[in-house]
Amino acid sequence: AAGASEPRSRALRAEFQRSHPCPSTGKPRGACPGYEVDHREALICGGRDELQNLQWLPVAEHRAKTRVEVKLCRSR
């Protein structure tokens, strides 16, 4: 995946889901069908792996956003 070499904290993702339950299940932990955690400002574009930079996005929207970010930021 884009930015896969960038650091990502599992503990941070778990903290995000506890404070922002899954949109499809309403649960603060476990799988979230149809959604993925996204970095608002992508790591590959200089975003940080921190709570305020995370959001839920539908899977298709997340993949489309990632494709654009890779094209825009990989050459930086």
Side-chain angles (χ1 to χ4, degrees):
S5 63
E6 300 295 331
R8 286 184 175 81
S9 166
R10 290 183 140 188
L12 180 68
R13 186 194 184 287
E15 181 182 346
F16 171 76
Q17 190 166 354
R18 280 192 300 275
S19 60
H20 300 83
C22 169
S24 63
T25 67
K27 295 182 179 179
R29 70 176 82 185
C32 187
Y35 286 85
E36 294 176 337
V37 175
D38 170 65
H39 288 85
R40 294 174 192 271
E41 182 180 1
L43 300 178
I44 195 172
C45 296
R48 301 188 57 130
D49 196 31
E50 48 193 30
L51 197 59
Q52 62 269 26
N53 193 36
L54 299 178
Q55 66 182 347
W56 288 111
L57 280 183
V59 172
E61 188 176 331
H62 185 215
R63 292 196 178 140
K65 179 178 177 280
T66 298
R67 279 193 298 274
V68 170
E69 291 163 340
V70 168
K71 287 179 183 176
L72 290 175
C73 299
R74 181 164 277 162
S75 61
R76 284 187 182 178

